[in-house]
Amino acid sequence: MRAPLSWIREFTPLEGIGVEAIADALNQLGLEVEGIDEPGRDVNGVVAARILDVVPHPDADRIRLADVDFGDGQLRVVCGAPDIEAGMVVPFARVGAVLPGDFKIERRKIRGVVSEGMLCSARELGLGDDHDGILSLPADAALGTDVREILGLDDAVFDLSITPNRPDAMGIVGVARELAAHFGSSFSVDEHEPKPLLDEVTGAHVLVEAPDCCPRFVALAARVVMGESPEWMRRRIVLAGMRPISNVVDVTNYVMLERGRPLHAYDLAKLPGRGIVVRLAADGEKLTTLDGVERTLSSADLLICDGDRNPQGIAGIMGGAAAEVSDTTTEILLESAYFEPSGIALTSKRLGLRSEASARFERGVDPNNAGTGAARAMELLVEVAGAVPAVGAIDVYPKPIGRKRITVRTERVNALLGTSLSRDEIAAYLTPLDITLDGSEASVPTFRPDLEREIDLVEEVARRVGLDNIVRTVPSSPAKIGGLSSRQRDRRALADVLVGAGYDEVYTLPLLAPADLASAGLETDGLIEVENPLRAEESILRPALLPGLLRSVAYNAAHGTLDVALFESGTVFGPPRAGESLPAERHAVAFARARHARRAPHEPDRDVDVYDATAVLNAIAQELRITDIRLDAAAVAGFHPTRAARILVDGREVGAIGEVAAAVADALSLAGPIVACEIDVGAVLESARTDRMSSPVSRFPASTVDLAFVVDDRIPAAALQETLAAAGGELLENVALFDVFRSDALGAGKVSLAFSLRFRALDRTLTDEEVSALRQKCIDAVVSAHGAELRS
């Protein structure tokens, strides 16, 4: 929004306050100044001059010679404008004058006649795009006076960036109110409601069929004389960034710029039924707007129609071409309404149609200045269009919107701002903004729809005090501030385990394509589909992390990195829980390792196997102190039929682990084995945990025993490990799987699992007899429990 300083000063004098100080204040108040335009800065040496005589050029049909009096003498200029005539007062650029674009006026000979300067159009002075004729100055302008003074080009125009929550600042009056409060300057704006209120005005009527979308509609009528607006009005409209059109249209734009009140004038003679009907559109209904474009509407769009219900405009956005005012208009109906902001915003966005009016309506204009804004427009129409207002006004306002009342506690204001303001000081800061305090309640004007809660008023106090003037203090609170929750610490510990095991963390998009799920061997039914995905083919909220993680493994492989170990921690989505409408969310962790497991530098790499994954899972369980975690060999979707297991914690399934199925690897164009795991972190963290305890360290040596068993391939190694741990008793310090061997020599469906057992006592060195007995006890337990055979 552009705000000329001279216009602001009509409502608050701001005496003795410079442009830079005002700009600093606007920035402090949150009305960001993006630039300051001084229109006259590039105009020098142009004065007012009266045309004394106009004669044809002796050697050109379309060029004429004008004798001008500029106060200090008379000169002859050559001019190509067809509209000049004797008696006009015009801008005269003498030789040596400078115009915008650093264009310097020089004495020139044109078709044999010397021109001692130039008569200027509006465009040549930087006042708009009009280049059809010479700009006419007031007839009583003193000759020789600098046109910057006459035209107000010595003004400063603030280019403001107004945030969407401040519709009140989308008008000169709102900006002036803010500055008056900041500088303690007086503020005055003349407002009155049109009267008397009637059901009809000059036979015109208004019917609002959608009061929820249009809570208020004011209409006034008048006879007018169409023409050009006076120079002062055209100048202000141009300085504010708009284009003058005609006196009636310019008045509606002038009031919008001044009061933040969008208006629209209809040619009453072109309104069939001589009235207005405000209704919702029918799906597929069409309307040609003032920009000449035919718009297709939906049932959510609000229309302004004539008395015969024919569309004449899209409410709050743009009028239609059928009833627009023109040079032949003699009678107008003036619309001043309040439309529900979200409806205007949705229609504007859907149609791709924005206007100065919609920019204000979608922010939320003041419903209670609809009448005063219309009255202001009628005053101006009387002045610039010879308007003869009809008696009375129509005001459809079935449910008047009043001022909001919000509780404001002094102690809360001071606690949040770190100040020690009294109730009277807070009131003094808010009152200039038309926010009044009555005890602990504030009454908020309807032109501030952004003020809804106590915190909003605290922010207003902060703006008035000035953020730079609030002393920094250290907040005191009995509550703990900062730090991680226990769940956050556990999640970080889990990630640390994976990083320590050589895995790199990745982040993948939470949106998947159905093909990704199919490639990972997962079901594609009952998924959560997004209506407006970033990519049309990736429209599914991920039900698991592994599909995206395996796609990352495939991406790395396709780019030459075959041996990768990746993990991801993130949210997955499922169907809504009973009684809820939003998808169920849970936190999960998945990890995958491909191709080779790297050993020590002097050892050759080997293919990864499922025990690389279970080792990481055991490390996670140990770090999180999980009491009861087991693996249940079972067929799991997306995994190898005999090299996978469900993960059970406290008897509850919390994930799966194993070797990725060959079909999945083939679908992703991956060669070599891949092992993977996915865990429901939330379920794991809710499980029973062992307490953190310290135990004494034995100073006696340990005895290590290696045992290899041949068992059925379907029996998980974890089952044997549990049996060994139970049989070893308190003297068993550690048991770990260190080798897996498969061979036809073992027998069909058989596998050799080798474990290392470490025994140690706290009070003595174990004897050979004790170790031998413990060894035999462990062997017997495994043979008995699993039908195993000791491999020699």
Side-chain angles (χ1 to χ4, degrees):
M1 174 184 160
R2 291 170 58 84
L5 180 55
S6 62
W7 205 348
I8 293 172
R9 283 185 164 142
E10 282 198 3
F11 303 99
T12 180
L14 302 177
E15 294 176 354
I17 303 171
V19 172
E20 292 300 326
I22 292 174
D24 289 342
L26 289 168
N27 284 322
Q28 181 178 318
L29 293 168
L31 309 181
E32 182 183 353
V33 179
E34 293 188 330
I36 303 174
D37 185 15
E38 298 177 78
R41 180 176 50 196
D42 298 327
V43 177
N44 288 287
V46 183
V47 299
R50 176 172 279 109
I51 300 176
L52 301 176
D53 192 19
V54 180
V55 298
H57 191 289
D59 195 28
D61 294 336
R62 297 186 179 183
I63 300 176
R64 295 190 289 173
L65 309 179
D67 295 325
V68 298
D69 179 0
F70 56 92
D72 292 336
Q74 299 178 9
L75 292 171
R76 170 163 284 190
V77 296
V78 179
C79 182
D83 63 337
I84 58 172
E85 58 186 30
M88 288 179 64
V89 179
V90 296
F92 172 51
R94 297 180 59 181
V95 173
V98 178
L99 299 180
D102 200 26
F103 178 62
K104 189 173 182 179
I105 302 300
E106 298 176 348
R107 183 178 287 105
R108 296 178 59 193
K109 182 180 287 188
I110 303 175
R111 306 292 285 268
V113 178
V114 175
S115 180
E116 298 289 346
M118 185 175 77
L119 305 185
C120 302
S121 68
R123 188 170 74 178
E124 287 156 347
L125 294 176
L127 296 179
D129 297 327
D130 187 2
H131 191 54
D132 294 335
I134 300 303
L135 180 65
S136 179
L137 299 179
D140 58 354
L143 303 184
T145 303
D146 194 318
V147 295
R148 291 179 296 185
E149 180 181 340
I150 298 173
L151 297 176
L153 299 182
D154 53 352
D155 205 350
V157 182
F158 300 101
D159 194 355
L160 303 178
S161 176
I162 307 299
T163 54
N165 67 321
R166 290 300 305 274
D168 61 299
M170 291 290 285
I172 299 296
V173 168
V175 175
R177 181 186 292 108
E178 290 281 320
L179 289 172
H182 181 81
F183 289 111
S185 177
S186 62
F187 173 77
S188 176
V189 55
D190 182 27
E191 293 183 316
H192 64 275
E193 294 282 345
K195 292 182 180 180
L197 298 181
L198 305 172
D199 293 334
E200 291 188 355
V201 176
T202 66
H205 61 277
V206 173
L207 174 63
V208 178
E209 295 183 352
D212 292 339
C213 301
C214 178
R216 188 179 189 188
F217 195 103
V218 176
L220 282 72
R223 299 194 67 82
V224 296
V225 178
M226 297 297 295
E228 187 178 56
S229 297
E231 183 276 332
W232 64 266
M233 178 174 284
R234 286 186 284 118
R235 181 177 73 247
R236 279 200 169 165
I237 288 174
V238 168
L239 289 177
M242 297 188 72
R243 180 175 60 89
I245 298 174
S246 67
N247 51 5
V248 171
V249 176
D250 290 350
V251 164
T252 62
N253 288 334
Y254 189 93
V255 174
M256 177 181 68
L257 294 168
E258 181 181 80
R259 307 291 173 99
R261 161 47 56 189
L263 303 167
H264 190 76
Y266 298 93
D267 188 328
L268 194 51
K270 297 178 182 177
L271 281 177
R274 200 172 176 81
I276 292 290
V277 176
V278 183
R279 64 172 176 83
L280 291 171
D283 281 324
E285 194 167 2
K286 298 183 184 299
L287 169 68
T288 299
T289 47
L290 285 174
D291 56 1
V293 178
E294 185 180 68
R295 312 280 178 178
T296 301
L297 307 171
S298 77
S299 58
D301 301 328
L302 189 66
L303 293 180
I304 307 298
C305 303
D306 56 40
D308 291 345
R309 305 179 65 81
N310 302 308
Q312 296 293 341
I314 303 173
I317 300 176
M318 187 174 287
E324 68 174 313
V325 295
S326 65
D327 292 343
T328 61
T329 298
T330 59
E331 191 176 15
I332 64 167
L333 186 69
L334 185 66
E335 166 200 309
S336 180
Y338 171 66
F339 302 112
E340 198 278 320
S342 63
I344 301 299
L346 289 172
T347 295
S348 176
K349 181 178 180 180
R350 189 182 63 78
L351 295 177
L353 179 62
R354 285 185 59 82
S355 63
E356 289 285 347
S358 68
R360 288 163 172 81
F361 277 121
E362 66 189 25
R363 282 172 162 87
V365 301
D366 182 5
N368 291 323
N369 81 345
T372 59
R376 169 63 172 158
M378 195 57 70
E379 290 176 356
L380 291 170
L381 287 170
V382 170
E383 180 180 349
V384 306
V388 179
V391 175
I394 300 172
D395 190 353
V396 182
Y397 200 10
K399 296 180 180 179
I401 300 170
R403 295 168 67 100
K404 286 177 286 189
R405 302 193 69 82
I406 302 172
T407 299
V408 182
R409 298 163 291 174
T410 302
E411 61 275 13
R412 184 60 176 163
V413 173
N414 289 323
L416 288 171
L417 300 183
T419 55
S420 55
L421 300 172
S422 67
R423 167 62 52 172
D424 290 343
E425 288 174 317
I426 293 173
Y429 282 126
L430 296 178
T431 299
L433 302 178
D434 198 17
I435 302 170
T436 58
L437 285 185
D438 181 9
S440 61
E441 275 197 335
S443 175
V444 178
T446 51
F447 59 75
R448 290 298 302 273
D450 58 310
L451 304 181
E452 299 179 336
R453 304 171 299 162
E454 183 179 36
I455 190 63
D456 297 327
L457 293 177
V458 174
E459 182 183 355
E460 291 302 294
V461 174
R463 286 198 314 120
R464 294 283 289 110
V465 173
L467 297 180
D468 292 338
N469 298 324
I470 298 176
V471 179
R472 294 182 180 181
T473 58
V474 177
S476 59
S477 172
K480 180 181 178 182
I481 298 176
L484 299 175
S485 66
S486 59
R487 178 155 293 203
Q488 288 172 324
R489 286 194 298 270
D490 287 339
R491 287 181 180 178
R492 290 197 179 187
L494 193 157
D496 288 343
V497 170
L498 289 164
V499 171
Y503 286 77
D504 294 313
E505 186 171 11
V506 297
Y507 292 91
T508 64
L509 290 176
L511 297 174
L512 296 173
D516 293 327
L517 297 174
S519 296
L522 301 181
E523 293 290 334
T524 57
D525 296 330
L527 302 174
I528 308 299
E529 189 168 357
V530 178
E531 289 185 357
N532 55 342
L534 296 175
R535 297 175 59 187
E537 62 271 22
E538 294 179 346
S539 59
I540 303 298
L541 281 174
R542 62 186 180 193
L545 294 178
L546 273 180
L549 191 64
L550 292 175
R551 190 169 63 176
S552 294
V553 172
Y555 178 87
N556 278 273
H559 288 76
T561 305
L562 303 178
D563 301 337
V564 292
L566 306 177
F567 81 93
E568 180 174 10
S569 175
T571 302
V572 296
F573 305 87
R577 298 182 180 91
E580 297 183 5
S581 58
L582 295 177
E585 299 182 20
R586 58 185 177 85
H587 193 84
V589 165
F591 58 89
R593 184 182 288 274
R595 292 287 295 249
H596 297 121
R598 298 195 178 277
R599 294 185 171 182
H602 61 279
E603 296 181 355
D605 292 341
R606 61 169 177 80
D607 287 348
V608 296
D609 57 36
V610 70
Y611 300 106
D612 292 305
T614 58
V616 175
L617 181 62
N618 289 335
I620 292 173
Q622 183 177 352
E623 178 64 26
L624 298 180
R625 311 183 320 279
I626 306 300
T627 302
D628 178 17
I629 181 168
R630 292 183 296 108
L631 297 181
D632 178 29
V636 180
F639 287 93
H640 190 284
T642 62
R643 299 172 194 169
R646 299 182 304 143
I647 304 171
L648 304 179
V649 172
D650 293 343
R652 173 187 175 188
E653 184 175 350
V654 299
I657 190 169
E659 182 179 323
V660 173
V664 173
D666 291 342
L668 295 169
S669 300
L670 289 169
I674 308 161
V675 294
C677 173
E678 182 162 344
I679 311 167
D680 183 342
V681 175
V684 170
L685 298 184
E686 291 172 358
S687 66
R689 316 258 205 111
T690 58
D691 295 331
R692 290 191 183 275
M693 299 177 62
S694 61
S695 58
V697 178
S698 174
R699 61 187 180 86
F700 298 98
S703 298
T704 302
V705 174
D706 291 341
L707 298 175
F709 298 96
V710 177
V711 294
D712 193 298
D713 196 14
R714 292 172 297 178
I715 299 176
L720 274 71
Q721 190 167 335
E722 289 180 8
T723 302
L724 290 170
E730 294 181 354
L731 295 178
L732 181 61
E733 189 176 75
N734 184 62
V735 57
L737 177 74
F738 71 88
D739 185 60
V740 179
F741 176 71
R742 290 182 173 84
S743 172
D744 293 339
L746 298 177
K750 298 292 184 178
V751 62
S752 171
L753 303 176
F755 296 88
S756 176
L757 292 79
R758 186 170 67 243
F759 297 97
R760 193 196 311 259
L762 289 173
D763 56 351
R764 67 190 187 281
T765 300
L766 294 175
T767 65
D768 291 343
E769 290 77 10
E770 288 177 303
V771 173
S772 179
L774 289 168
R775 176 180 182 276
Q776 190 59 49
K777 183 178 180 182
C778 290
I779 293 172
D780 294 342
V782 172
V783 170
S784 173
H786 303 291
E789 177 184 344
L790 181 66
R791 184 177 173 214
S792 56

